[in-house]
Amino acid sequence: MILRVANAADAQYVETLCQWYAESAKSRGVGIAKRDPNYLIKKMDKGDAIIAFIDEQLAGFCYIETFEDNKFVVNSGLIVNTELRKEGLGRAIKHRVFELSRTKYPAAKIFGITTSAAVMKINNELGYRPVTFPELTQSDDFWKGCSSCKNYGILMENERKMCLCTGMVYDKLDDQYGQIVQESIEILTPQGQ
């Protein structure tokens, strides 16, 4: 298994990933998993995604979104090839995207909302805790992502304070990643310039 940060060359996999998202949404009956191919390409270009391969075959993907000037980070779009599920690949991707999030955004709280018991279990392993929705980002950009979910009416009826999803947050910002001094790169110019 290869888990790595996605890059611009991985744009070749976007159509397959979008197909997987559509199939997943249909099978779960929520409609929330639709993704814009250009958005995924931007995530790859920025290095804000993890891509997985098994025997050179695309196996899974997950990306990072930031909100409120990088105060909050969410790991979104976890998808695994249906033929490779139940092998621990989703867990491995989730752990790797968590590490990427903490490394790139050490001052950010990582959060998510889900109805998936498997995702809740993985989040719990990583140190997330259940929270009420007001403890999550209040960014309209995040919450409009819920608009394609069949439960969106419930969310809006409750003024984005509760829905059928469980909110979870990782806010231990003094962990090993929060202690890492972020490296800076000095750009040196030749003498005389």
Side-chain angles (χ1 to χ4, degrees), residues 105-142:
Y105 305 100
K109 295 177 182 179
I110 303 174
F111 76 99
I113 60 173
T114 187
T115 57
S116 166
V119 170
M120 284 186 247
K121 183 177 179 182
I122 295 167
N123 285 351
N124 187 57
E125 290 170 6
L126 288 167
Y128 287 64
R129 61 185 175 83
V131 295
T132 61
F133 282 13
E135 294 178 64
L136 306 175
T137 185
Q138 296 307 301
S139 168
D140 290 337
D141 286 338
F142 172 75

PDB file of all heavy atoms in Angstrom, residues 105-142:
ATOM      1  N   TYR A 105      -1.188  22.541   9.426  1.00  0.00           N
ATOM      2  CA  TYR A 105      -2.003  23.521  10.138  1.00  0.00           C
ATOM      3  C   TYR A 105      -1.966  23.238  11.646  1.00  0.00           C
ATOM      4  O   TYR A 105      -2.986  22.892  12.246  1.00  0.00           O
ATOM      5  CB  TYR A 105      -3.448  23.494   9.617  1.00  0.00           C
ATOM      6  CG  TYR A 105      -3.527  23.703   8.118  1.00  0.00           C
ATOM      7  CD1 TYR A 105      -3.684  22.613   7.261  1.00  0.00           C
ATOM      8  CD2 TYR A 105      -3.417  24.972   7.564  1.00  0.00           C
ATOM      9  CE1 TYR A 105      -3.744  22.798   5.881  1.00  0.00           C
ATOM     10  CE2 TYR A 105      -3.471  25.167   6.197  1.00  0.00           C
ATOM     11  CZ  TYR A 105      -3.633  24.072   5.355  1.00  0.00           C
ATOM     12  OH  TYR A 105      -3.679  24.263   4.000  1.00  0.00           O
ATOM     13  N   PRO A 106      -0.796  23.368  12.294  1.00  0.00           N
ATOM     14  CA  PRO A 106      -0.662  22.956  13.700  1.00  0.00           C
ATOM     15  C   PRO A 106      -1.474  23.785  14.692  1.00  0.00           C
ATOM     16  O   PRO A 106      -1.720  23.333  15.804  1.00  0.00           O
ATOM     17  CB  PRO A 106       0.837  23.080  13.966  1.00  0.00           C
ATOM     18  CG  PRO A 106       1.321  24.075  12.967  1.00  0.00           C
ATOM     19  CD  PRO A 106       0.465  23.873  11.753  1.00  0.00           C
ATOM     20  N   ALA A 107      -1.922  24.967  14.302  1.00  0.00           N
ATOM     21  CA  ALA A 107      -2.714  25.808  15.206  1.00  0.00           C
ATOM     22  C   ALA A 107      -4.218  25.635  14.992  1.00  0.00           C
ATOM     23  O   ALA A 107      -5.016  26.320  15.632  1.00  0.00           O
ATOM     24  CB  ALA A 107      -2.328  27.275  15.019  1.00  0.00           C
ATOM     25  N   ALA A 108      -4.599  24.725  14.110  1.00  0.00           N
ATOM     26  CA  ALA A 108      -6.020  24.550  13.772  1.00  0.00           C
ATOM     27  C   ALA A 108      -6.647  23.385  14.526  1.00  0.00           C
ATOM     28  O   ALA A 108      -6.010  22.358  14.750  1.00  0.00           O
ATOM     29  CB  ALA A 108      -6.160  24.314  12.270  1.00  0.00           C
ATOM     30  N   LYS A 109      -7.912  23.554  14.864  1.00  0.00           N
ATOM     31  CA  LYS A 109      -8.713  22.456  15.389  1.00  0.00           C
ATOM     32  C   LYS A 109      -9.171  21.635  14.186  1.00  0.00           C
ATOM     33  O   LYS A 109      -9.577  22.197  13.170  1.00  0.00           O
ATOM     34  CB  LYS A 109      -9.935  22.976  16.140  1.00  0.00           C
ATOM     35  CG  LYS A 109      -9.599  23.762  17.384  1.00  0.00           C
ATOM     36  CD  LYS A 109     -10.862  24.309  18.023  1.00  0.00           C
ATOM     37  CE  LYS A 109     -10.528  25.146  19.242  1.00  0.00           C
ATOM     38  NZ  LYS A 109     -11.748  25.705  19.849  1.00  0.00           N
ATOM     39  N   ILE A 110      -9.115  20.316  14.308  1.00  0.00           N
ATOM     40  CA  ILE A 110      -9.592  19.448  13.237  1.00  0.00           C
ATOM     41  C   ILE A 110     -10.978  18.966  13.650  1.00  0.00           C
ATOM     42  O   ILE A 110     -11.188  18.543  14.776  1.00  0.00           O
ATOM     43  CB  ILE A 110      -8.659  18.245  13.015  1.00  0.00           C
ATOM     44  CG1 ILE A 110      -7.247  18.728  12.723  1.00  0.00           C
ATOM     45  CG2 ILE A 110      -9.172  17.380  11.867  1.00  0.00           C
ATOM     46  CD1 ILE A 110      -6.218  17.610  12.625  1.00  0.00           C
ATOM     47  N   PHE A 111     -11.912  19.041  12.720  1.00  0.00           N
ATOM     48  CA  PHE A 111     -13.272  18.662  13.069  1.00  0.00           C
ATOM     49  C   PHE A 111     -13.916  17.904  11.924  1.00  0.00           C
ATOM     50  O   PHE A 111     -13.390  17.835  10.815  1.00  0.00           O
ATOM     51  CB  PHE A 111     -14.109  19.906  13.423  1.00  0.00           C
ATOM     52  CG  PHE A 111     -14.535  20.711  12.228  1.00  0.00           C
ATOM     53  CD1 PHE A 111     -15.821  20.571  11.702  1.00  0.00           C
ATOM     54  CD2 PHE A 111     -13.669  21.600  11.628  1.00  0.00           C
ATOM     55  CE1 PHE A 111     -16.209  21.311  10.598  1.00  0.00           C
ATOM     56  CE2 PHE A 111     -14.064  22.349  10.531  1.00  0.00           C
ATOM     57  CZ  PHE A 111     -15.332  22.206  10.008  1.00  0.00           C
ATOM     58  N   GLY A 112     -15.052  17.338  12.218  1.00  0.00           N
ATOM     59  CA  GLY A 112     -15.837  16.665  11.201  1.00  0.00           C
ATOM     60  C   GLY A 112     -17.241  16.429  11.707  1.00  0.00           C
ATOM     61  O   GLY A 112     -17.501  16.521  12.905  1.00  0.00           O
ATOM     62  N   ILE A 113     -18.129  16.153  10.760  1.00  0.00           N
ATOM     63  CA  ILE A 113     -19.476  15.713  11.100  1.00  0.00           C
ATOM     64  C   ILE A 113     -19.735  14.447  10.292  1.00  0.00           C
ATOM     65  O   ILE A 113     -19.315  14.343   9.143  1.00  0.00           O
ATOM     66  CB  ILE A 113     -20.552  16.789  10.832  1.00  0.00           C
ATOM     67  CG1 ILE A 113     -20.595  17.188   9.355  1.00  0.00           C
ATOM     68  CG2 ILE A 113     -20.332  18.006  11.720  1.00  0.00           C
ATOM     69  CD1 ILE A 113     -21.754  18.115   9.002  1.00  0.00           C
ATOM     70  N   THR A 114     -20.373  13.489  10.916  1.00  0.00           N
ATOM     71  CA  THR A 114     -20.595  12.214  10.235  1.00  0.00           C
ATOM     72  C   THR A 114     -21.743  11.455  10.874  1.00  0.00           C
ATOM     73  O   THR A 114     -22.072  11.664  12.044  1.00  0.00           O
ATOM     74  CB  THR A 114     -19.315  11.362  10.248  1.00  0.00           C
ATOM     75  OG1 THR A 114     -19.509  10.196   9.445  1.00  0.00           O
ATOM     76  CG2 THR A 114     -18.935  10.940  11.658  1.00  0.00           C
ATOM     77  N   THR A 115     -22.329  10.557  10.090  1.00  0.00           N
ATOM     78  CA  THR A 115     -23.283   9.581  10.621  1.00  0.00           C
ATOM     79  C   THR A 115     -22.654   8.191  10.606  1.00  0.00           C
ATOM     80  O   THR A 115     -23.268   7.235  11.053  1.00  0.00           O
ATOM     81  CB  THR A 115     -24.577   9.549   9.780  1.00  0.00           C
ATOM     82  OG1 THR A 115     -24.231   9.255   8.420  1.00  0.00           O
ATOM     83  CG2 THR A 115     -25.334  10.855   9.874  1.00  0.00           C
ATOM     84  N   SER A 116     -21.426   8.086  10.116  1.00  0.00           N
ATOM     85  CA  SER A 116     -20.759   6.799   9.969  1.00  0.00           C
ATOM     86  C   SER A 116     -20.134   6.331  11.286  1.00  0.00           C
ATOM     87  O   SER A 116     -19.237   6.995  11.830  1.00  0.00           O
ATOM     88  CB  SER A 116     -19.666   6.898   8.895  1.00  0.00           C
ATOM     89  OG  SER A 116     -18.810   5.781   8.949  1.00  0.00           O
ATOM     90  N   ALA A 117     -20.582   5.185  11.769  1.00  0.00           N
ATOM     91  CA  ALA A 117     -20.003   4.625  12.997  1.00  0.00           C
ATOM     92  C   ALA A 117     -18.516   4.320  12.806  1.00  0.00           C
ATOM     93  O   ALA A 117     -17.717   4.512  13.723  1.00  0.00           O
ATOM     94  CB  ALA A 117     -20.761   3.362  13.400  1.00  0.00           C
ATOM     95  N   ALA A 118     -18.139   3.856  11.613  1.00  0.00           N
ATOM     96  CA  ALA A 118     -16.729   3.539  11.344  1.00  0.00           C
ATOM     97  C   ALA A 118     -15.859   4.793  11.425  1.00  0.00           C
ATOM     98  O   ALA A 118     -14.776   4.770  12.031  1.00  0.00           O
ATOM     99  CB  ALA A 118     -16.587   2.884   9.973  1.00  0.00           C
ATOM    100  N   VAL A 119     -16.333   5.899  10.849  1.00  0.00           N
ATOM    101  CA  VAL A 119     -15.569   7.150  10.896  1.00  0.00           C
ATOM    102  C   VAL A 119     -15.498   7.661  12.333  1.00  0.00           C
ATOM    103  O   VAL A 119     -14.446   8.121  12.787  1.00  0.00           O
ATOM    104  CB  VAL A 119     -16.166   8.201   9.941  1.00  0.00           C
ATOM    105  CG1 VAL A 119     -15.535   9.573  10.159  1.00  0.00           C
ATOM    106  CG2 VAL A 119     -15.986   7.767   8.492  1.00  0.00           C
ATOM    107  N   MET A 120     -16.610   7.565  13.077  1.00  0.00           N
ATOM    108  CA  MET A 120     -16.592   7.990  14.486  1.00  0.00           C
ATOM    109  C   MET A 120     -15.569   7.188  15.281  1.00  0.00           C
ATOM    110  O   MET A 120     -14.848   7.736  16.117  1.00  0.00           O
ATOM    111  CB  MET A 120     -17.981   7.860  15.099  1.00  0.00           C
ATOM    112  CG  MET A 120     -18.931   8.935  14.671  1.00  0.00           C
ATOM    113  SD  MET A 120     -20.500   8.831  15.554  1.00  0.00           S
ATOM    114  CE  MET A 120     -21.592   8.399  14.214  1.00  0.00           C
ATOM    115  N   LYS A 121     -15.488   5.894  15.009  1.00  0.00           N
ATOM    116  CA  LYS A 121     -14.525   5.041  15.717  1.00  0.00           C
ATOM    117  C   LYS A 121     -13.093   5.462  15.398  1.00  0.00           C
ATOM    118  O   LYS A 121     -12.258   5.573  16.295  1.00  0.00           O
ATOM    119  CB  LYS A 121     -14.751   3.580  15.328  1.00  0.00           C
ATOM    120  CG  LYS A 121     -13.855   2.615  16.065  1.00  0.00           C
ATOM    121  CD  LYS A 121     -14.162   1.178  15.708  1.00  0.00           C
ATOM    122  CE  LYS A 121     -13.202   0.257  16.460  1.00  0.00           C
ATOM    123  NZ  LYS A 121     -13.420  -1.135  16.126  1.00  0.00           N
ATOM    124  N   ILE A 122     -12.803   5.719  14.127  1.00  0.00           N
ATOM    125  CA  ILE A 122     -11.458   6.149  13.737  1.00  0.00           C
ATOM    126  C   ILE A 122     -11.144   7.510  14.364  1.00  0.00           C
ATOM    127  O   ILE A 122     -10.053   7.716  14.906  1.00  0.00           O
ATOM    128  CB  ILE A 122     -11.316   6.207  12.201  1.00  0.00           C
ATOM    129  CG1 ILE A 122     -11.455   4.806  11.601  1.00  0.00           C
ATOM    130  CG2 ILE A 122      -9.975   6.821  11.810  1.00  0.00           C
ATOM    131  CD1 ILE A 122     -11.640   4.797  10.082  1.00  0.00           C
ATOM    132  N   ASN A 123     -12.099   8.442  14.299  1.00  0.00           N
ATOM    133  CA  ASN A 123     -11.886   9.759  14.903  1.00  0.00           C
ATOM    134  C   ASN A 123     -11.593   9.632  16.394  1.00  0.00           C
ATOM    135  O   ASN A 123     -10.728  10.321  16.928  1.00  0.00           O
ATOM    136  CB  ASN A 123     -13.106  10.660  14.682  1.00  0.00           C
ATOM    137  CG  ASN A 123     -13.197  11.189  13.273  1.00  0.00           C
ATOM    138  OD1 ASN A 123     -12.273  11.043  12.468  1.00  0.00           O
ATOM    139  ND2 ASN A 123     -14.322  11.805  12.955  1.00  0.00           N
ATOM    140  N   ASN A 124     -12.314   8.765  17.064  1.00  0.00           N
ATOM    141  CA  ASN A 124     -12.084   8.529  18.487  1.00  0.00           C
ATOM    142  C   ASN A 124     -10.664   8.017  18.725  1.00  0.00           C
ATOM    143  O   ASN A 124      -9.982   8.461  19.655  1.00  0.00           O
ATOM    144  CB  ASN A 124     -13.132   7.558  19.028  1.00  0.00           C
ATOM    145  CG  ASN A 124     -13.052   7.418  20.527  1.00  0.00           C
ATOM    146  OD1 ASN A 124     -13.148   8.405  21.245  1.00  0.00           O
ATOM    147  ND2 ASN A 124     -12.857   6.198  20.990  1.00  0.00           N
ATOM    148  N   GLU A 125     -10.204   7.076  17.903  1.00  0.00           N
ATOM    149  CA  GLU A 125      -8.825   6.562  18.009  1.00  0.00           C
ATOM    150  C   GLU A 125      -7.800   7.684  17.890  1.00  0.00           C
ATOM    151  O   GLU A 125      -6.755   7.658  18.530  1.00  0.00           O
ATOM    152  CB  GLU A 125      -8.541   5.547  16.895  1.00  0.00           C
ATOM    153  CG  GLU A 125      -9.252   4.246  17.017  1.00  0.00           C
ATOM    154  CD  GLU A 125      -9.110   3.393  15.752  1.00  0.00           C
ATOM    155  OE1 GLU A 125      -8.357   3.768  14.824  1.00  0.00           O
ATOM    156  OE2 GLU A 125      -9.769   2.337  15.698  1.00  0.00           O
ATOM    157  N   LEU A 126      -8.100   8.660  17.015  1.00  0.00           N
ATOM    158  CA  LEU A 126      -7.172   9.767  16.768  1.00  0.00           C
ATOM    159  C   LEU A 126      -7.210  10.816  17.880  1.00  0.00           C
ATOM    160  O   LEU A 126      -6.344  11.688  17.940  1.00  0.00           O
ATOM    161  CB  LEU A 126      -7.498  10.426  15.422  1.00  0.00           C
ATOM    162  CG  LEU A 126      -7.137   9.589  14.195  1.00  0.00           C
ATOM    163  CD1 LEU A 126      -7.787  10.166  12.944  1.00  0.00           C
ATOM    164  CD2 LEU A 126      -5.629   9.496  14.031  1.00  0.00           C
ATOM    165  N   GLY A 127      -8.215  10.756  18.750  1.00  0.00           N
ATOM    166  CA  GLY A 127      -8.299  11.707  19.852  1.00  0.00           C
ATOM    167  C   GLY A 127      -9.379  12.764  19.701  1.00  0.00           C
ATOM    168  O   GLY A 127      -9.458  13.698  20.489  1.00  0.00           O
ATOM    169  N   TYR A 128     -10.229  12.617  18.680  1.00  0.00           N
ATOM    170  CA  TYR A 128     -11.368  13.524  18.542  1.00  0.00           C
ATOM    171  C   TYR A 128     -12.334  13.257  19.692  1.00  0.00           C
ATOM    172  O   TYR A 128     -12.360  12.169  20.253  1.00  0.00           O
ATOM    173  CB  TYR A 128     -12.155  13.234  17.272  1.00  0.00           C
ATOM    174  CG  TYR A 128     -11.558  13.627  15.950  1.00  0.00           C
ATOM    175  CD1 TYR A 128     -10.383  13.048  15.470  1.00  0.00           C
ATOM    176  CD2 TYR A 128     -12.220  14.542  15.131  1.00  0.00           C
ATOM    177  CE1 TYR A 128      -9.883  13.373  14.225  1.00  0.00           C
ATOM    178  CE2 TYR A 128     -11.727  14.864  13.874  1.00  0.00           C
ATOM    179  CZ  TYR A 128     -10.561  14.281  13.426  1.00  0.00           C
ATOM    180  OH  TYR A 128     -10.074  14.595  12.196  1.00  0.00           O
ATOM    181  N   ARG A 129     -13.169  14.247  19.985  1.00  0.00           N
ATOM    182  CA  ARG A 129     -14.225  14.065  20.974  1.00  0.00           C
ATOM    183  C   ARG A 129     -15.529  14.591  20.385  1.00  0.00           C
ATOM    184  O   ARG A 129     -15.517  15.514  19.564  1.00  0.00           O
ATOM    185  CB  ARG A 129     -13.887  14.768  22.278  1.00  0.00           C
ATOM    186  CG  ARG A 129     -13.711  16.250  22.137  1.00  0.00           C
ATOM    187  CD  ARG A 129     -13.259  16.919  23.447  1.00  0.00           C
ATOM    188  NE  ARG A 129     -12.996  18.324  23.218  1.00  0.00           N
ATOM    189  CZ  ARG A 129     -13.917  19.278  23.203  1.00  0.00           C
ATOM    190  NH1 ARG A 129     -15.177  18.984  23.440  1.00  0.00           N
ATOM    191  NH2 ARG A 129     -13.599  20.546  22.974  1.00  0.00           N
ATOM    192  N   PRO A 130     -16.659  14.001  20.777  1.00  0.00           N
ATOM    193  CA  PRO A 130     -17.948  14.499  20.286  1.00  0.00           C
ATOM    194  C   PRO A 130     -18.230  15.889  20.860  1.00  0.00           C
ATOM    195  O   PRO A 130     -17.915  16.147  22.028  1.00  0.00           O
ATOM    196  CB  PRO A 130     -18.965  13.488  20.809  1.00  0.00           C
ATOM    197  CG  PRO A 130     -18.191  12.386  21.423  1.00  0.00           C
ATOM    198  CD  PRO A 130     -16.791  12.839  21.626  1.00  0.00           C
ATOM    199  N   VAL A 131     -18.794  16.763  20.032  1.00  0.00           N
ATOM    200  CA  VAL A 131     -19.123  18.122  20.463  1.00  0.00           C
ATOM    201  C   VAL A 131     -20.453  18.541  19.844  1.00  0.00           C
ATOM    202  O   VAL A 131     -20.937  17.914  18.896  1.00  0.00           O
ATOM    203  CB  VAL A 131     -18.034  19.141  20.052  1.00  0.00           C
ATOM    204  CG1 VAL A 131     -16.707  18.860  20.752  1.00  0.00           C
ATOM    205  CG2 VAL A 131     -17.843  19.187  18.543  1.00  0.00           C
ATOM    206  N   THR A 132     -21.002  19.619  20.372  1.00  0.00           N
ATOM    207  CA  THR A 132     -22.193  20.193  19.755  1.00  0.00           C
ATOM    208  C   THR A 132     -21.761  21.027  18.548  1.00  0.00           C
ATOM    209  O   THR A 132     -20.622  21.493  18.467  1.00  0.00           O
ATOM    210  CB  THR A 132     -22.951  21.083  20.763  1.00  0.00           C
ATOM    211  OG1 THR A 132     -22.096  22.145  21.174  1.00  0.00           O
ATOM    212  CG2 THR A 132     -23.405  20.272  21.969  1.00  0.00           C
ATOM    213  N   PHE A 133     -22.655  21.219  17.611  1.00  0.00           N
ATOM    214  CA  PHE A 133     -22.330  21.948  16.380  1.00  0.00           C
ATOM    215  C   PHE A 133     -21.821  23.372  16.634  1.00  0.00           C
ATOM    216  O   PHE A 133     -20.959  23.838  15.894  1.00  0.00           O
ATOM    217  CB  PHE A 133     -23.526  21.966  15.438  1.00  0.00           C
ATOM    218  CG  PHE A 133     -23.730  20.668  14.688  1.00  0.00           C
ATOM    219  CD1 PHE A 133     -23.081  19.492  15.033  1.00  0.00           C
ATOM    220  CD2 PHE A 133     -24.579  20.637  13.599  1.00  0.00           C
ATOM    221  CE1 PHE A 133     -23.276  18.316  14.331  1.00  0.00           C
ATOM    222  CE2 PHE A 133     -24.782  19.461  12.873  1.00  0.00           C
ATOM    223  CZ  PHE A 133     -24.126  18.303  13.245  1.00  0.00           C
ATOM    224  N   PRO A 134     -22.320  24.105  17.647  1.00  0.00           N
ATOM    225  CA  PRO A 134     -21.777  25.455  17.872  1.00  0.00           C
ATOM    226  C   PRO A 134     -20.271  25.473  18.185  1.00  0.00           C
ATOM    227  O   PRO A 134     -19.636  26.514  18.079  1.00  0.00           O
ATOM    228  CB  PRO A 134     -22.602  25.982  19.046  1.00  0.00           C
ATOM    229  CG  PRO A 134     -23.918  25.270  18.891  1.00  0.00           C
ATOM    230  CD  PRO A 134     -23.529  23.883  18.444  1.00  0.00           C
ATOM    231  N   GLU A 135     -19.683  24.335  18.554  1.00  0.00           N
ATOM    232  CA  GLU A 135     -18.245  24.270  18.823  1.00  0.00           C
ATOM    233  C   GLU A 135     -17.427  24.067  17.549  1.00  0.00           C
ATOM    234  O   GLU A 135     -16.202  24.089  17.591  1.00  0.00           O
ATOM    235  CB  GLU A 135     -17.940  23.148  19.810  1.00  0.00           C
ATOM    236  CG  GLU A 135     -18.514  23.388  21.190  1.00  0.00           C
ATOM    237  CD  GLU A 135     -18.237  22.248  22.149  1.00  0.00           C
ATOM    238  OE1 GLU A 135     -17.041  22.010  22.446  1.00  0.00           O
ATOM    239  OE2 GLU A 135     -19.199  21.587  22.573  1.00  0.00           O
ATOM    240  N   LEU A 136     -18.111  23.879  16.421  1.00  0.00           N
ATOM    241  CA  LEU A 136     -17.440  23.695  15.139  1.00  0.00           C
ATOM    242  C   LEU A 136     -17.362  25.037  14.418  1.00  0.00           C
ATOM    243  O   LEU A 136     -17.865  26.040  14.898  1.00  0.00           O
ATOM    244  CB  LEU A 136     -18.231  22.677  14.298  1.00  0.00           C
ATOM    245  CG  LEU A 136     -18.513  21.336  14.967  1.00  0.00           C
ATOM    246  CD1 LEU A 136     -19.395  20.483  14.074  1.00  0.00           C
ATOM    247  CD2 LEU A 136     -17.215  20.620  15.315  1.00  0.00           C
ATOM    248  N   THR A 137     -16.742  25.039  13.258  1.00  0.00           N
ATOM    249  CA  THR A 137     -16.690  26.282  12.483  1.00  0.00           C
ATOM    250  C   THR A 137     -18.097  26.810  12.230  1.00  0.00           C
ATOM    251  O   THR A 137     -19.040  26.028  12.067  1.00  0.00           O
ATOM    252  CB  THR A 137     -15.965  26.074  11.139  1.00  0.00           C
ATOM    253  OG1 THR A 137     -15.854  27.341  10.487  1.00  0.00           O
ATOM    254  CG2 THR A 137     -16.705  25.123  10.223  1.00  0.00           C
ATOM    255  N   GLN A 138     -18.202  28.098  12.182  1.00  0.00           N
ATOM    256  CA  GLN A 138     -19.478  28.721  11.842  1.00  0.00           C
ATOM    257  C   GLN A 138     -19.447  29.283  10.421  1.00  0.00           C
ATOM    258  O   GLN A 138     -20.339  30.011  10.008  1.00  0.00           O
ATOM    259  CB  GLN A 138     -19.829  29.806  12.866  1.00  0.00           C
ATOM    260  CG  GLN A 138     -20.057  29.244  14.268  1.00  0.00           C
ATOM    261  CD  GLN A 138     -21.073  28.112  14.292  1.00  0.00           C
ATOM    262  OE1 GLN A 138     -22.220  28.285  13.896  1.00  0.00           O
ATOM    263  NE2 GLN A 138     -20.668  26.923  14.742  1.00  0.00           N
ATOM    264  N   SER A 139     -18.431  28.906   9.673  1.00  0.00           N
ATOM    265  CA  SER A 139     -18.274  29.358   8.296  1.00  0.00           C
ATOM    266  C   SER A 139     -19.440  28.894   7.421  1.00  0.00           C
ATOM    267  O   SER A 139     -19.733  27.700   7.348  1.00  0.00           O
ATOM    268  CB  SER A 139     -16.966  28.817   7.716  1.00  0.00           C
ATOM    269  OG  SER A 139     -16.921  29.004   6.322  1.00  0.00           O
ATOM    270  N   ASP A 140     -20.069  29.834   6.751  1.00  0.00           N
ATOM    271  CA  ASP A 140     -21.158  29.491   5.835  1.00  0.00           C
ATOM    272  C   ASP A 140     -20.661  28.566   4.723  1.00  0.00           C
ATOM    273  O   ASP A 140     -21.411  27.719   4.243  1.00  0.00           O
ATOM    274  CB  ASP A 140     -21.770  30.753   5.216  1.00  0.00           C
ATOM    275  CG  ASP A 140     -22.550  31.574   6.231  1.00  0.00           C
ATOM    276  OD1 ASP A 140     -22.997  31.011   7.256  1.00  0.00           O
ATOM    277  OD2 ASP A 140     -22.698  32.790   6.007  1.00  0.00           O
ATOM    278  N   ASP A 141     -19.397  28.734   4.318  1.00  0.00           N
ATOM    279  CA  ASP A 141     -18.842  27.888   3.258  1.00  0.00           C
ATOM    280  C   ASP A 141     -18.849  26.416   3.658  1.00  0.00           C
ATOM    281  O   ASP A 141     -19.112  25.550   2.839  1.00  0.00           O
ATOM    282  CB  ASP A 141     -17.416  28.314   2.899  1.00  0.00           C
ATOM    283  CG  ASP A 141     -17.377  29.592   2.096  1.00  0.00           C
ATOM    284  OD1 ASP A 141     -18.402  29.934   1.468  1.00  0.00           O
ATOM    285  OD2 ASP A 141     -16.322  30.244   2.099  1.00  0.00           O
ATOM    286  N   PHE A 142     -18.549  26.129   4.924  1.00  0.00           N
ATOM    287  CA  PHE A 142     -18.597  24.729   5.364  1.00  0.00           C
ATOM    288  C   PHE A 142     -20.027  24.211   5.331  1.00  0.00           C
ATOM    289  O   PHE A 142     -20.309  23.157   4.771  1.00  0.00           O
ATOM    290  CB  PHE A 142     -18.022  24.553   6.767  1.00  0.00           C
ATOM    291  CG  PHE A 142     -18.250  23.165   7.302  1.00  0.00           C
ATOM    292  CD1 PHE A 142     -17.490  22.102   6.842  1.00  0.00           C
ATOM    293  CD2 PHE A 142     -19.268  22.907   8.213  1.00  0.00           C
ATOM    294  CE1 PHE A 142     -17.735  20.806   7.295  1.00  0.00           C
ATOM    295  CE2 PHE A 142     -19.513  21.616   8.675  1.00  0.00           C
ATOM    296  CZ  PHE A 142     -18.736  20.561   8.207  1.00  0.00           C
TER     297      PHE A 142
END
